[in-house]
Amino acid sequence: MMDSIRIGLIGWGTVGCGMLQTLRENAKEIQARVGVRMDVVRVADLDLDSPRPVSVDPHLLTRSAQDILDDPSIHIVVELIGGLEPARSFIMKALEKGKHVVTANKALLAHHGNEIFAQAAKCGRSVGFEASVAGGIPLLKAIREGLSANRLDTLFGILNGTANYILTRMTEDGLPFAQALAEAQRHGYAEADPSLDVDGIDTAHKLAIASAMSFGTSIRLDKVYVEGIRDIDLLDVQFASEFGYRLKLLAIARNTNGLVELRVHPTLIPERHVLASVRGAYNAVHIHGNAVGNIMLYGLGAGMLPTGSAVVADLVDLARDMTLGIVHRVPPLGFLPEYSSEMPVKPMDDVVTRYYFRFSAVDRPGVLSKISGVLGANQISIAAVIQKGREVEGAVPIVMLTHEAVEKDVRRSLEAIDRLDIVRGPTKLLRIEDRTDNAVASA
Amino acid sequence: MMDSIRIGLIGWGTVGCGMLQTLRENAKEIQARVGVRMDVVRVADLDLDSPRPVSVDPHLLTRSAQDILDDPSIHIVVELIGGLEPARSFIMKALEKGKHVVTANKALLAHHGNEIFAQAAKCGRSVGFEASVAGGIPLLKAIREGLSANRLDTLFGILNGTANYILTRMTEDGLPFAQALAEAQRHGYAEADPSLDVDGIDTAHKLAIASAMSFGTSIRLDKVYVEGIRDIDLLDVQFASEFGYRLKLLAIARNTNGLVELRVHPTLIPERHVLASVRGAYNAVHIHGNAVGNIMLYGLGAGMLPTGSAVVADLVDLARDMTLGIVHRVPPLGFLPEYSSEMPVKPMDDVVTRYYFRFSAVDRPGVLSKISGVLGANQISIAAVIQKGREVEGAVPIVMLTHEAVEKDVRRSLEAIDRLDIVRGPTKLLRIEDRTDNAVASA
């Protein structure tokens, strides 16, 4: 039996520091769980000079990741540099050299996960990536193992803490988007370039991974419909509240008889839904399975220590396999590759959901009738309307919630409506998710 | 490699039916995850005649559990009869005969878990018991594996759906306890004899198991302080709301530098806390770890299919081990027995928390001063007071919330206060948990 597991870390950044600190601070607990020591024996980073919250013995440091890949004594390579290259090459090389890999790199897995998992299978090595989705929340383990008895049909959630922080500030403090973003940046929740977070791209990466694992299919990032929160108007957050909804950037995956929906967009959810109470930088994921019913997992989706917690959980899992001399106990995506099927993804045009529209129309008799006429002609039926006399630049907002409608009918209607002479600006469209209602326990 | 795993089921009741249905309905998904078939080859129950929601091939049925224990072709025995005996003997015998065991029996594990796990270690066999705590929520897997990087210091939650259903109906519909209980019984949420649920015993069983796993100690049911909800007065639910709290039957485990608190009692939690939004028959557990921060898991804690989901997840876990020819990959309580330590449990007298008191006092000047005088003399300081002129049988309710105080000081004070001639009846005491506040994301 091995008495210590030797780890090489590539990427001495925030998450790397979280992993190092967790391994050090909880060394006793971790050894009590696995029976062996976990030793970080080499740390590579291009920048060895910037101050870090967690220090490393200078003898272990190197500027060259190759030093780790070439070290035959290293059992596990932890890749925490992020991005596509050179992360991808490092991981492929590590597997080829017979090392297990742990990574938090959602962008890489969303783009190249299928290829990386195939390489791992070929090389007889494992890839752990719990940290890549929902940070500290043990979501992937729950999907892959805890809920393994189920046919999972729905997964939706808040997977980006930055976007959720911004929307929370807009909702609770009435800040417009730009100001809420600036606050997020000031508190370190958002990067100088916030595109990945606010444009929904990071959420899409995570959804691509978690949905593949939920439904037993391969990862298809290119099939995820993505819309971010950059254009969210405070007015719509406020109208949403008036109707009893909260606005969240939601990742939605749904499997209806083998046809999959994959979408990320700002979404109204009922304020009494448990996801509506997820505030600030927290993440939460709601899953529905045919046996378990509704499940929700909630926690910090980012940050040095929460993400470090997930990285180290993967290391513990690997250590538990390694001490028994086994590998591939659980397939990376939960399903054995020979059983994994390619599921068709529903085009966004065919998605059926409820909608929120805000029209900017002139304040004149007959306006409502014209707009609802166009909607009716396109099979879109109205569930609720608010019209308020706040005239801005010659137009009043008219807000409508629809019953379920087909996306392409909605698109066609809004194009027609926006061409009407009574309409003063482009209509705002948001989607509503209240089938999520079943997640609220009803008596 | 084995091509099928042979399962014997003892107990063809609700959960047994849930397991059978899940295995049947999701056979394809389960085989795609583990690569082998899972076959239930024998089902034992004393009663083979009552109608069941899920049928069994009559050839598989037997009235004798012994038939299953004696069948050398059976790999896994699933015990779902509940209670202490004969469940305990069946499990001990199954292990001795070289079979793995899966059980949902929290009462048994809370009482005899240590002995059963020792037997499993001796026999080189596994015991799966995910279904014993929080039903379908993969809580034990999260604690034992998903959060394995952490020193966990706090676990608290709603672990009994029946009690939560009753409290939800009291809170939302203004029903008194007896009527809410009757409703729970009418809807099948409560048994004819509801003691295990409403007196907090079932919650204590689950807390004993989950806390041992969280802290790396053995199971000590006898150390759990237990108070149920049978004496909850609707008036207190309503006063709690006025102060911004919801009343929940909470299981609380806290490890402060190796000194453990284990208690189950009705508890006021802030209404904006995520646990406050857990309604009806749902369960939810909040965990705090030194790396991951706050985590919450939410779902159905009981019911045929949710519990069946957890039983089958254990079967899948076992199958994944068995196909690789390994055992004991993860210790039953998460920590290797040789590292598990016996932690002292803090006596209830020494617990420090905040309190809610409702005094029944005569409506006369000086009353408030007398009561607060006694409290002050016992180092109990008052955070808020409501006195309302609703005189009932010559007394008015005076409600106070305290700052943190020591349980024994509180007990001593209330004894003194209840002897005052201005006091008309025994004071109602409830505890407040708002350190839980840190579970609410703050901006």
Side-chain angles (χ1 to χ4, degrees):
Chain A
M1 171 143 165
M2 59 205 332
D3 56 20
S4 99
I5 287 173
R6 296 169 62 84
I7 298 162
L9 168 62
I10 304 178
W12 184 24
T14 303
V15 178
C17 286
M19 173 191 111
L20 291 167
Q21 182 171 327
T22 302
L23 280 174
R24 271 178 219 170
E25 215 166 279
N26 299 343
K28 211 177 102 218
E29 283 79 7
I30 291 166
Q31 184 158 3
R33 289 182 171 110
V34 295
V36 294
R37 282 204 333 274
M38 313 273 272
D39 294 330
V40 178
V41 297
R42 211 76 207 270
V43 176
D45 202 295
L46 291 176
D47 165 14
L48 298 180
D49 305 317
S50 301
R52 312 292 217 281
V54 179
S55 66
V56 172
D57 177 346
H59 295 98
L60 305 186
L61 290 172
T62 173
R63 283 196 171 77
S64 163
Q66 199 64 41
D67 286 351
I68 289 178
L69 300 174
D70 286 341
D71 183 341
S73 81
I74 288 179
H75 303 109
I76 304 175
V77 171
V78 181
E79 179 279 305
L80 297 174
I81 55 176
L84 302 189
E85 281 295 350
R88 181 183 151 283
S89 301
F90 290 162
I91 287 178
M92 297 299 273
K93 185 64 71 64
L95 292 168
E96 198 185 301
K97 295 239 180 185
K99 299 174 193 322
H100 300 293
V101 169
V102 171
T103 177
N105 194 331
K106 50 250 179 184
L108 177 61
L109 291 173
H111 282 96
H112 300 297
N114 302 323
E115 173 196 1
I116 288 168
F117 299 147
Q119 170 88 338
K122 203 183 88 189
C123 301
R125 290 299 176 266
S126 292
V127 180
F129 53 102
E130 182 64 66
S132 68
V133 183
I137 305 173
L139 172 68
L140 301 187
K141 181 169 280 282
I143 295 174
R144 194 163 39 190
E145 303 181 40
L147 303 177
S148 59
N150 288 265
R151 190 181 314 143
L152 300 177
D153 52 48
T154 315
L155 176 145
F156 55 78
I158 296 164
L159 290 173
N160 184 283
T162 306
N164 199 53
Y165 175 88
I166 291 170
L167 292 174
T168 303
R169 296 302 304 269
M170 292 178 74
T171 304
E172 298 186 1
D173 304 320
L175 302 185
F177 173 80
Q179 205 178 325
L181 169 60
E183 286 282 294
Q185 285 167 327
R186 203 165 60 82
H187 287 93
Y189 291 134
E191 319 254 345
D193 174 3
S195 325
L196 279 177
D197 295 323
V198 303
D199 294 334
I201 302 163
D202 174 76
T203 303
H205 291 155
K206 293 163 175 169
L207 180 66
I209 297 167
S211 62
M213 192 178 280
S214 299
F215 304 149
T217 177
S218 54
I219 297 173
R220 273 98 33 98
L221 177 63
D222 59 311
K223 300 286 191 184
V224 182
Y225 174 84
V226 191
E227 211 175 283
I229 61 167
R230 209 185 274 271
D231 297 327
I232 295 292
D233 200 316
L234 188 54
L235 194 57
D236 295 309
V237 173
Q238 291 161 342
F239 274 121
S241 290
E242 289 192 37
F243 282 109
Y245 290 92
R246 291 271 174 285
L247 188 66
K248 296 289 184 188
L249 179 62
L250 229 59
I252 301 174
R254 190 173 273 122
N255 176 4
T256 313
N257 304 319
L259 186 59
V260 173
E261 274 174 53
L262 297 174
R263 45 197 172 100
V264 173
H265 50 66
T267 312
L268 304 190
I269 55 175
E271 64 192 3
R272 65 179 227 139
H273 189 279
V274 281
L275 282 184
S277 67
V278 176
R279 303 169 60 245
Y282 277 82
N283 279 200
V285 181
H286 169 270
I287 300 170
H288 184 270
N290 68 337
V292 77
N294 295 304
I295 286 280
M296 193 184 79
L297 291 89
Y298 165 93
L300 287 164
M304 179 173 114
L305 287 173
T307 313
S309 168
V311 170
V312 174
D314 275 347
L315 293 173
V316 168
D317 249 358
L318 267 173
R320 282 169 166 167
D321 285 352
M322 290 166 70
T323 55
L324 290 168
I326 61 160
V327 74
H328 297 165
R329 182 179 171 278
V330 183
L333 291 175
F335 288 80
L336 294 162
E338 60 269 34
Y339 289 89
S340 172
S341 60
E342 201 60 51
M343 290 182 186
V345 178
K346 188 188 270 195
M348 193 60 197
D349 262 358
D350 297 345
V351 162
V352 174
T353 187
R354 295 187 56 207
Y355 293 85
Y356 162 105
F357 303 138
R358 176 166 55 81
F359 305 102
S360 299
V362 296
D363 195 3
R364 188 191 300 166
V367 164
L368 208 54
S369 135
K370 272 199 182 163
I371 288 174
S372 50
V374 175
L375 294 174
N378 286 285
Q379 288 80 48
I380 299 165
S381 90
I382 299 163
V385 183
I386 295 182
Q387 177 173 354
K388 290 201 172 170
R390 295 178 270 179
E391 190 169 308
V392 182
E393 293 167 12
V396 289
I398 301 173
V399 177
M400 284 184 191
L401 307 190
T402 74
H403 290 297
E404 288 202 340
V406 183
E407 178 89 8
K408 63 171 169 285
D409 295 338
V410 166
R411 294 279 181 194
R412 195 186 316 115
S413 308
L414 297 194
E415 274 167 33
I417 289 168
D418 286 357
R419 280 194 305 264
L420 296 175
D421 60 356
I422 52 158
V423 168
R424 281 287 174 267
T427 299
K428 285 279 184 183
L429 171 163
L430 293 168
R431 296 175 191 83
I432 300 172
E433 192 60 49
D434 50 12
R435 276 169 291 186
T436 64
D437 245 350
N438 58 6
V440 181
S442 59
Chain B
M1 170 144 167
M2 60 207 327
D3 57 19
S4 99
I5 288 175
R6 294 170 62 85
I7 299 162
L9 167 63
I10 304 178
W12 183 25
T14 304
V15 178
C17 286
M19 175 193 109
L20 291 167
Q21 182 171 328
T22 301
L23 280 174
R24 270 177 220 171
E25 212 167 282
N26 299 342
K28 210 179 103 216
E29 283 78 8
I30 292 167
Q31 183 157 2
R33 288 181 173 111
V34 296
V36 293
R37 279 200 339 268
M38 314 272 271
D39 293 331
V40 178
V41 297
R42 211 76 207 269
V43 175
D45 202 296
L46 291 177
D47 165 14
L48 298 180
D49 305 316
S50 300
R52 313 290 215 281
V54 178
S55 66
V56 171
D57 176 347
H59 294 97
L60 307 184
L61 290 172
T62 172
R63 282 195 171 77
S64 163
Q66 199 63 42
D67 286 349
I68 288 177
L69 300 173
D70 286 341
D71 181 341
S73 81
I74 288 178
H75 303 109
I76 304 175
V77 172
V78 180
E79 179 278 304
L80 297 175
I81 55 176
L84 301 188
E85 281 295 351
R88 182 183 149 283
S89 302
F90 289 162
I91 288 178
M92 297 301 272
K93 185 65 71 65
L95 292 168
E96 199 185 301
K97 295 238 179 188
K99 300 177 192 318
H100 301 293
V101 169
V102 171
T103 177
N105 194 331
K106 50 248 177 187
L108 178 62
L109 291 172
H111 282 96
H112 300 296
N114 302 323
E115 174 195 359
I116 288 168
F117 299 146
Q119 170 88 338
K122 205 183 85 187
C123 301
R125 290 298 176 269
S126 292
V127 180
F129 53 104
E130 181 64 66
S132 68
V133 183
I137 305 174
L139 173 68
L140 301 186
K141 182 169 279 281
I143 296 173
R144 194 163 39 188
E145 304 180 40
L147 303 176
S148 59
N150 288 264
R151 192 183 312 143
L152 299 177
D153 51 46
T154 314
L155 176 144
F156 54 80
I158 297 163
L159 290 175
N160 185 283
T162 307
N164 199 55
Y165 175 88
I166 291 170
L167 292 174
T168 303
R169 295 302 303 270
M170 293 178 73
T171 305
E172 298 186 0
D173 304 320
L175 303 184
F177 172 82
Q179 204 178 326
L181 169 60
E183 286 281 294
Q185 285 166 327
R186 203 165 59 83
H187 287 93
Y189 292 133
E191 319 253 345
D193 174 3
S195 324
L196 280 177
D197 295 322
V198 304
D199 295 334
I201 302 163
D202 173 77
T203 303
H205 290 155
K206 293 164 177 169
L207 181 68
I209 298 167
S211 62
M213 192 177 280
S214 299
F215 303 149
T217 179
S218 53
I219 297 174
R220 273 99 33 97
L221 178 63
D222 58 313
K223 301 286 190 183
V224 182
Y225 174 85
V226 191
E227 212 176 280
I229 61 167
R230 208 184 275 272
D231 298 327
I232 294 294
D233 200 315
L234 189 54
L235 195 57
D236 295 308
V237 172
Q238 290 160 345
F239 275 119
S241 290
E242 290 191 36
F243 283 108
Y245 290 91
R246 291 271 174 284
L247 187 66
K248 296 290 183 188
L249 179 62
L250 230 57
I252 301 175
R254 190 174 271 123
N255 176 4
T256 314
N257 304 318
L259 187 60
V260 173
E261 273 174 54
L262 297 174
R263 44 196 172 100
V264 173
H265 50 65
T267 312
L268 305 189
I269 56 173
E271 63 192 2
R272 62 178 228 140
H273 189 281
V274 281
L275 282 184
S277 67
V278 176
R279 304 169 61 244
Y282 276 82
N283 279 201
V285 182
H286 170 269
I287 302 169
H288 185 268
N290 68 338
V292 78
N294 295 304
I295 286 280
M296 193 184 81
L297 291 88
Y298 166 94
L300 287 164
M304 177 174 118
L305 287 173
T307 313
S309 168
V311 169
V312 175
D314 275 347
L315 292 174
V316 168
D317 250 358
L318 268 172
R320 282 168 166 168
D321 285 353
M322 290 166 71
T323 53
L324 291 168
I326 61 161
V327 75
H328 297 165
R329 182 179 170 277
V330 182
L333 290 174
F335 288 81
L336 294 162
E338 60 268 36
Y339 289 90
S340 172
S341 61
E342 202 58 51
M343 290 183 186
V345 177
K346 186 188 273 195
M348 193 61 196
D349 263 358
D350 297 345
V351 161
V352 175
T353 187
R354 297 186 56 206
Y355 292 85
Y356 163 105
F357 302 138
R358 175 165 56 83
F359 305 103
S360 297
V362 297
D363 194 3
R364 188 191 301 164
V367 163
L368 209 54
S369 138
K370 273 200 182 164
I371 289 173
S372 51
V374 176
L375 294 174
N378 285 285
Q379 290 78 49
I380 297 163
S381 91
I382 299 164
V385 184
I386 296 181
Q387 178 173 353
K388 291 202 170 167
R390 296 180 268 178
E391 192 170 306
V392 182
E393 292 166 15
V396 290
I398 301 174
V399 177
M400 286 186 190
L401 307 191
T402 74
H403 290 295
E404 288 202 340
V406 183
E407 179 88 8
K408 63 171 168 288
D409 294 339
V410 166
R411 295 276 179 196
R412 196 188 315 115
S413 308
L414 296 193
E415 274 166 32
I417 288 169
D418 286 355
R419 281 193 306 263
L420 295 176
D421 59 356
I422 52 158
V423 168
R424 284 286 176 264
T427 299
K428 284 280 183 182
L429 170 161
L430 293 167
R431 297 176 190 82
I432 301 172
E433 192 60 49
D434 50 12
R435 278 168 292 187
T436 63
D437 246 350
N438 58 6
V440 181
S442 59

